[in-house]
Coordinates of all heavy atoms in Angstrom, one line a residue:
D240 N 0.8 -1.2 0.0 CA 0.0 0.0 0.0 C 0.9 1.3 0.0 O 0.6 2.2 -0.7 CB -0.9 0.0 1.2 CG -1.8 1.2 1.3 OD1 -2.7 1.3 0.3 OD2 -1.7 2.0 2.2
E241 N 1.9 1.2 0.8 CA 2.8 2.4 0.9 C 3.6 2.5 -0.5 O 3.7 3.6 -1.0 CB 3.8 2.2 2.0 CG 4.9 3.3 2.1 CD 4.4 4.5 2.8 OE1 3.4 4.4 3.5 OE2 5.0 5.6 2.5
Y242 N 4.1 1.4 -1.0 CA 4.9 1.4 -2.2 C 4.0 1.9 -3.4 O 4.5 2.7 -4.2 CB 5.4 0.0 -2.5 CG 6.2 -0.2 -3.7 CD1 7.5 0.0 -3.8 CD2 5.5 -0.6 -4.9 CE1 8.2 -0.1 -5.0 CE2 6.1 -0.7 -6.1 CZ 7.5 -0.5 -6.2 OH 8.2 -0.7 -7.4
N243 N 2.8 1.4 -3.5 CA 2.0 1.7 -4.7 C 1.5 3.1 -4.7 O 1.3 3.8 -5.7 CB 0.8 0.7 -4.9 CG 1.3 -0.6 -5.5 OD1 2.3 -0.7 -6.1 ND2 0.5 -1.6 -5.3
H244 N 1.1 3.6 -3.5 CA 0.3 4.9 -3.4 C 1.0 6.0 -2.8 O 0.6 7.2 -3.0 CB -1.0 4.6 -2.6 CG -1.8 3.5 -3.2 ND1 -2.6 3.7 -4.4 CD2 -2.0 2.2 -2.9 CE1 -3.2 2.6 -4.7 NE2 -2.9 1.7 -3.8
R245 N 2.1 5.8 -2.0 CA 2.7 7.0 -1.4 C 4.2 7.0 -1.5 O 4.8 7.8 -0.8 CB 2.3 7.0 0.1 CG 0.8 7.3 0.4 CD 0.5 7.2 1.9 NE 0.6 5.8 2.4 CZ -0.4 5.0 2.2 NH1 -1.5 5.2 1.6 NH2 -0.3 3.7 2.7
R246 N 4.8 6.2 -2.3 CA 6.2 6.2 -2.5 C 6.6 6.7 -3.9 O 6.3 6.0 -4.9 CB 6.8 4.8 -2.3 CG 8.3 4.7 -2.5 CD 8.7 3.2 -2.3 NE 10.1 3.0 -2.6 CZ 10.7 2.8 -3.7 NH1 9.9 2.8 -4.8 NH2 12.0 2.6 -3.9
P247 N 7.2 7.9 -4.0 CA 7.5 8.3 -5.4 C 8.6 7.5 -6.0 O 9.5 7.0 -5.3 CB 8.0 9.8 -5.1 CG 8.5 9.8 -3.7 CD 7.6 8.8 -3.0
H248 N 8.6 7.3 -7.3 CA 9.6 6.5 -8.0 C 10.4 7.3 -9.0 O 9.8 8.1 -9.8 CB 8.8 5.4 -8.7 CG 9.7 4.2 -9.0 ND1 10.8 4.2 -9.8 CD2 9.6 2.9 -8.5 CE1 11.3 3.0 -9.8 NE2 10.6 2.2 -9.0
T249 N 11.7 7.3 -8.8 CA 12.6 8.1 -9.7 C 12.4 7.9 -11.2 O 12.3 8.8 -11.9 CB 14.1 7.8 -9.3 OG1 14.3 8.1 -7.9 CG2 15.0 8.7 -10.1
S250 N 12.3 6.6 -11.6 CA 12.1 6.3 -13.0 C 10.8 6.7 -13.5 O 10.6 6.6 -14.7 CB 12.4 4.8 -13.2 OG 11.4 4.1 -12.5
L251 N 9.8 7.1 -12.7 CA 8.5 7.5 -13.1 C 8.3 9.0 -13.0 O 7.1 9.5 -13.0 CB 7.4 6.8 -12.2 CG 7.5 5.2 -12.2 CD1 6.4 4.7 -11.3 CD2 7.2 4.7 -13.7
G252 N 9.4 9.7 -12.9 CA 9.3 11.2 -12.8 C 8.7 11.6 -11.4 O 8.0 12.6 -11.3
R253 N 9.0 10.8 -10.4 CA 8.6 11.0 -9.0 C 7.1 10.8 -8.9 O 6.5 11.2 -7.8 CB 8.9 12.4 -8.5 CG 10.3 12.9 -8.7 CD 11.4 11.9 -8.2 NE 11.2 11.6 -6.8 CZ 11.9 10.6 -6.2 NH1 12.8 9.8 -6.8 NH2 11.8 10.5 -4.9
A254 N 6.5 10.1 -9.8 CA 5.1 9.7 -9.6 C 5.0 8.4 -8.9 O 6.1 7.7 -8.7 CB 4.4 9.5 -11.0
T255 N 3.9 8.0 -8.3 CA 3.8 6.8 -7.7 C 3.4 5.7 -8.7 O 2.8 6.0 -9.7 CB 2.7 6.8 -6.5 OG1 1.4 7.1 -7.2 CG2 3.0 7.9 -5.5
P256 N 3.7 4.5 -8.4 CA 3.3 3.3 -9.3 C 1.8 3.3 -9.6 O 1.4 3.0 -10.8 CB 3.8 2.1 -8.6 CG 4.9 2.5 -7.8 CD 4.6 3.9 -7.3
A257 N 1.0 3.6 -8.6 CA -0.5 3.6 -8.8 C -0.9 4.6 -9.9 O -1.7 4.4 -10.7 CB -1.2 3.8 -7.5
I258 N -0.3 5.8 -9.8 CA -0.6 6.9 -10.8 C -0.1 6.4 -12.2 O -0.9 6.6 -13.2 CB 0.0 8.2 -10.4 CG1 -0.7 8.7 -9.1 CG2 -0.1 9.2 -11.5 CD1 0.0 10.0 -8.6
A259 N 1.1 5.9 -12.3 CA 1.6 5.5 -13.5 C 0.9 4.3 -14.2 O 0.7 4.2 -15.4 CB 3.1 5.1 -13.4
Y260 N 0.3 3.5 -13.3 CA -0.4 2.3 -13.8 C -1.8 2.7 -14.4 O -2.3 2.0 -15.3 CB -0.6 1.3 -12.7 CG -1.2 -0.1 -13.1 CD1 -0.5 -0.9 -14.1 CD2 -2.4 -0.5 -12.6 CE1 -1.1 -2.1 -14.5 CE2 -3.0 -1.7 -13.0 CZ -2.3 -2.5 -13.9 OH -2.8 -3.7 -14.3
R261 N -2.3 3.8 -13.9 CA -3.7 4.2 -14.3 C -3.8 5.3 -15.3 O -4.9 5.6 -15.8 CB -4.5 4.5 -13.1 CG -4.7 3.2 -12.2 CD -5.7 3.6 -11.0 NE -5.9 2.4 -10.2 CZ -5.3 2.1 -9.1 NH1 -4.3 2.8 -8.7 NH2 -5.5 1.0 -8.4
R262 N -2.7 6.0 -15.6 CA -2.8 7.2 -16.5 C -2.8 6.9 -18.0 O -3.0 7.8 -18.8 CB -1.7 8.1 -16.1 CG -0.3 7.7 -16.4 CD 0.8 8.7 -15.9 NE 2.1 8.1 -15.9 CZ 3.1 8.7 -15.4 NH1 3.0 9.8 -14.7 NH2 4.4 8.2 -15.5
L263 N -2.5 5.6 -18.4 CA -2.5 5.3 -19.8 C -3.3 4.0 -20.0 O -3.6 3.2 -19.0 CB -1.1 5.0 -20.2 CG -0.1 6.2 -20.3 CD1 1.3 5.7 -20.7 CD2 -0.6 7.2 -21.3
P264 N -3.9 3.8 -21.2 CA -4.7 2.6 -21.4 C -3.8 1.3 -21.3 O -2.7 1.3 -21.6 CB -5.2 2.8 -22.8 CG -4.3 3.8 -23.4 CD -3.8 4.7 -22.3
K265 N -4.5 0.3 -20.8 CA -3.8 -1.0 -20.6 C -3.7 -1.8 -21.9 O -4.7 -1.8 -22.7 CB -4.4 -1.8 -19.5 CG -4.4 -1.2 -18.1 CD -5.1 -2.0 -17.1 CE -5.1 -1.4 -15.7 NZ -5.8 -2.2 -14.7
T266 N -2.6 -2.5 -22.1 CA -2.5 -3.4 -23.2 C -3.2 -4.7 -22.8 O -3.4 -5.1 -21.7 CB -1.0 -3.7 -23.4 OG1 -0.3 -2.5 -23.5 CG2 -0.8 -4.5 -24.7

């Protein structure tokens, strides 16, 4: 829960994984 929603990720432009997973359509 912490990792997906409240931990910024360097390779994602400091976005969280949850934001990056939902901002584009899924393959």
Side-chain angles (χ1 to χ4, degrees):
D240 182 63
E241 177 78 23
Y242 175 89
N243 280 340
H244 301 283
R245 289 179 294 280
R246 178 184 178 273
H248 205 292
T249 302
S250 63
L251 301 176
R253 310 310 299 174
T255 62
I258 291 175
Y260 187 61
R261 296 187 175 94
R262 65 187 170 190
L263 292 174
K265 295 178 180 179
T266 311

